[in-house]
Amino acid sequence: MTGTGTIAKRELAAYFRAPAGWLIIALYTLLSGMVFSIYILRTGSPASMRDFFAVSGALLMPVVPAIAMRLFADEIRGGTLEALLTAPVSPGSIVLGKFFGAMGFLTCMFLPTLVYVATLFRVANTTPDPGPVLCGYLCLYLVGAAYLSIGTLASSLTGNSTLAFMVSLFTILGLLFAAAPADLAPAPVRSVLYAIAIPPRVGDFARGVIDLANVAYFGGITVFCLLAATCALELKRWG
Amino acid sequence: MSFELQPGQIAGLLGPNGAGKTTTIRMIAGYLLPDAGKVLVAGYDTASHPVIARQSLGYLPEHTPLYTEMRVGEYLSYRAKLYRVPSDVRKRAVDWAATRCWLGDVLKRRIGTLSKGYRQRVGLAAALLHNPKVLILDEPTNGLDPTQIRETRQLIRELATDRTMLICSHILPEVERLCQRVLIIAGGQLRADGSPAELTRSGGSRYFVQAREGRAGEAEHITKLWASLPFVAEVTSRQAGDKPTQSVGWLEWTILARAGSPDLREQIASAASQQGVLLRELRAQAPTLEGVFMDIMDKAGEVTTDPEAAPKGTEA
């Protein structure tokens, strides 16, 4: 996996070289901060970050595809993919490098929200339980990784980053609302729809429950999409 | 298609657009895998040992794709890391490549703000960083000014002393001056392979003749006369001169001689005087690589081949 770190570092730096990266962080911090100050930092409300995580999770839906869309689409359109694929690195290392670089950016986006946590611990009358907070961040990471892998796959399939954004956004929306038509569907399909739906799994995390099945679900999506993106890169060699 | 390139030799790949030049080069560089056949780079199969084969190779793709948001120094350092240049010599490798490609004064500039010529040099420097045994350059002097073209040619010659080089270009005189070996491809097939001198010798001289057309039908008679001469391969005729009023009655013929034929001017002149044809101009042109190239393209055009035909085996 040589080259992964090099590519990840370049990728992370690339986000901060363009104004878009700073803008995404600013908007995310602003919106999650508004939720925090309006709903959580209110006299009489419970000392819990639950609403913050709910809104932060929802914000990932449009934000992560926007982060992921340029990963490969820009390289395909600009021709730099040729320079990358002729370097002595495997397609797997390239995909992982891009993914970790974008995960690094996601971390930079979450970092400012630690200020809210610190504020809550400081001003709350009763010391909040750190368990659900840690659980909430774990959930944000897992959901973020899954969304990001979907975006990486979409980006590896096209040289058009807008198309990559739309494809990953609609895939994520599909997973979010998979359970909605379930009651109309026949039994075997219904259980599949319930199994692939995201909301019940996020709900478990919000209650502070780490179910291995839920971790495996998000991990599974991530691994599957990254492998598929690697295959997509390998296929480009066949013209 | 099958060819092998030797170290210390600069080979030029020539061909019209769509001939398969870039496809061939991309297969050697490992960007595309051949449907059939093999590519060996420095002895390593690009299909079974892709990483080590690619590490032995420096590649400047067509149009020089670069990350425009990066600074020149950062980009070179990034490419050096990707090619696993050890960290203790990385800085020296970057400095060396930057100096060789005259980038010393723009290392801190963003690539996006550079002119086309500078970008071309950044791409060239990136291909040199890891001191590869094999260098493949697709249009290396594209976008450079005449001074830079001369310097780049000099650089390529120096780099070739202990390396295998393949240069893809559509500028015929450049290939003629730079390369010890020329490969001409068309329709995905190798049409000619040899040194520029050998290839040029394989073509015939051309003779340009302006002669008087007296009565109707004489033009055909004169064409037949030229065609009947020994060593003549092909005769074509057209209206002489740019301004028809100055050249009423005069026609111009182009006579293509067979390869290796002696000077035909005497024969042409004496045949004309014997037949009472009035000559106004008789000019010989020695065979050129361009003429040979055009002849090969004409022949390739007659025997149309499958443009999708995949190159078979290439070795570098």
Side-chain angles (χ1 to χ4, degrees):
Chain A
M1 286 294 144
T2 10
T4 303
T6 309
I7 294 171
K9 253 185 257 167
R10 197 209 77 80
E11 214 53 58
L12 178 58
Y15 284 110
F16 292 104
R17 284 199 186 95
W22 294 101
L23 195 71
I24 287 176
I25 291 187
L27 284 178
Y28 186 83
T29 313
L30 178 74
L31 286 174
S32 56
M34 278 165 67
V35 171
F36 175 75
S37 49
I38 294 168
Y39 294 102
I40 299 172
L41 218 56
R42 201 172 45 179
T43 340
S45 63
S48 139
M49 296 283 283
R50 207 164 157 164
D51 291 336
F52 161 78
F53 284 119
V55 173
S56 284
L59 279 176
L60 290 181
M61 180 185 63
V63 165
V64 173
I67 294 172
M69 65 181 190
R70 49 164 290 281
L71 283 176
F72 283 105
D74 276 11
E75 300 245 10
I76 295 171
R77 203 193 46 206
T80 45
L81 191 67
E82 185 170 356
L84 198 53
L85 282 175
T86 50
V89 278
S90 66
S93 311
I94 297 174
V95 170
L96 270 187
K98 296 248 168 205
F99 175 75
F100 285 139
M103 281 304 280
F105 180 75
L106 215 55
T107 310
C108 295
M109 197 175 82
F110 291 150
L111 272 180
T113 64
L114 289 178
V115 173
Y116 311 148
V117 179
T119 311
L120 183 70
F121 275 78
R122 178 112 197 196
V123 299
N125 297 328
T126 53
T127 312
D129 184 2
V133 174
L134 288 175
C135 221
Y137 274 108
L138 176 67
C139 180
L140 274 188
Y141 257 99
L142 285 171
V143 172
Y147 287 4
L148 202 53
S149 67
I150 292 170
T152 307
L153 174 59
S155 186
S156 73
L157 297 172
T158 170
N160 182 337
S161 50
T162 313
L163 187 64
F165 175 80
M166 296 309 286
V167 168
S168 38
L169 185 69
F170 280 102
T171 310
I172 292 166
L173 281 173
L175 289 175
L176 281 174
F177 293 108
D183 292 332
L184 305 169
V189 181
R190 192 184 308 151
S191 56
V192 170
L193 288 176
Y194 274 124
I196 63 167
I198 293 178
R201 298 173 187 278
V202 174
D204 285 350
F205 279 103
R207 283 195 300 279
V209 180
I210 300 177
D211 186 346
L212 268 186
N214 294 337
V215 176
Y217 167 79
F218 290 114
I221 290 180
T222 308
V223 171
F224 173 80
C225 289
L226 293 183
L227 280 177
T230 308
C231 292
L233 278 197
E234 199 63 71
L235 271 178
K236 291 193 194 303
R237 286 193 205 280
W238 296 99
Chain B
M1 186 194 295
S2 178
F3 58 87
E4 187 168 345
L5 304 175
Q6 304 299 334
Q9 192 186 52
I10 307 177
L13 191 61
L14 279 179
N17 290 337
K21 279 185 310 238
T22 299
T23 306
T24 307
I25 271 187
R26 282 180 168 172
M27 280 188 190
I28 302 173
Y31 181 53
L32 293 175
L33 285 172
D35 292 330
K38 263 187 184 182
V39 181
L40 302 182
V41 174
Y44 300 105
D45 192 325
T46 53
S48 59
H49 298 85
V51 170
I52 190 152
R54 278 182 238 148
Q55 201 165 4
S56 320
L57 184 123
Y59 174 45
L60 172 69
E62 203 182 358
H63 310 311
T64 330
L66 300 165
Y67 297 114
T68 48
E69 83 280 1
M70 287 181 99
R71 291 176 200 282
V72 174
E74 282 172 350
Y75 179 71
L76 292 179
S77 173
Y78 160 74
R79 292 298 294 184
K81 273 187 228 162
L82 269 192
Y83 277 86
R84 302 170 197 191
V85 176
S87 54
D88 49 328
V89 292
R90 197 178 299 142
K91 181 150 192 329
R92 233 182 311 144
V94 169
D95 286 345
W96 173 79
T99 315
R100 294 300 330 240
C101 300
W102 313 280
L103 289 168
D105 50 340
V106 294
L107 279 174
K108 295 238 165 13
R109 290 263 300 271
R110 270 187 214 289
I111 292 171
T113 67
L114 295 178
S115 68
K116 204 178 170 204
Y118 267 111
R119 288 189 200 195
Q120 187 74 8
R121 282 141 71 176
V122 174
L124 193 58
L128 296 178
L129 279 169
H130 57 295
N131 206 3
K133 288 192 201 122
V134 183
L135 256 179
I136 297 183
L137 311 175
D138 203 345
E139 309 279 358
T141 56
N142 204 353
L144 300 185
D145 67 36
T147 321
Q148 293 165 346
I149 289 178
R150 205 177 58 211
E151 287 169 340
T152 307
R153 272 194 206 130
Q154 189 53 38
L155 172 66
I156 290 172
R157 280 197 198 98
E158 284 168 29
L159 290 169
T161 49
D162 52 349
R163 286 185 183 80
T164 308
M165 287 256 220
L166 182 63
I167 290 170
C168 191
S169 178
H170 61 259
I171 308 166
L172 283 161
E174 176 168 296
V175 171
E176 203 166 0
R177 291 170 73 170
L178 203 55
C179 304
Q180 287 104 36
R181 186 170 164 199
V182 177
L183 304 155
I184 298 179
I185 62 171
Q189 283 183 351
L190 193 59
R191 303 281 173 176
D193 179 1
S195 71
E198 279 166 19
L199 288 182
T200 308
R201 271 200 300 278
S202 74
S205 303
R206 274 162 215 272
Y207 299 89
F208 300 97
V209 187
Q210 278 189 27
R212 185 68 191 246
E213 179 188 20
R215 50 191 154 75
E218 203 182 346
E220 242 172 81
H221 169 69
I222 300 174
T223 306
K224 276 185 194 142
L225 175 65
W226 304 145
S228 69
L229 295 172
F231 299 112
V232 169
E234 201 187 314
V235 182
T236 49
S237 66
R238 63 182 186 93
Q239 176 67 46
D242 298 328
K243 294 176 185 161
T245 48
Q246 284 178 4
S247 303
V248 177
W250 291 96
L251 276 180
E252 185 177 272
W253 282 266
T254 304
I255 302 172
L256 176 66
R258 273 200 278 278
S261 62
D263 193 336
L264 296 184
R265 279 179 296 182
E266 253 178 73
Q267 279 190 41
I268 293 169
S270 66
S273 75
Q274 274 170 25
Q275 297 290 321
V277 173
L278 200 55
L279 282 190
R280 190 167 80 163
E281 189 184 338
L282 173 54
R283 184 159 47 90
Q285 189 191 51
T288 57
L289 190 61
E290 188 177 348
V292 174
F293 179 78
M294 295 316 292
D295 289 344
I296 290 171
M297 288 313 123
D298 289 345
K299 277 181 214 151
E302 285 161 22
V303 207
T304 327
T305 46
D306 178 12
E308 297 278 306
K312 275 281 153 57
T314 3
E315 206 164 323

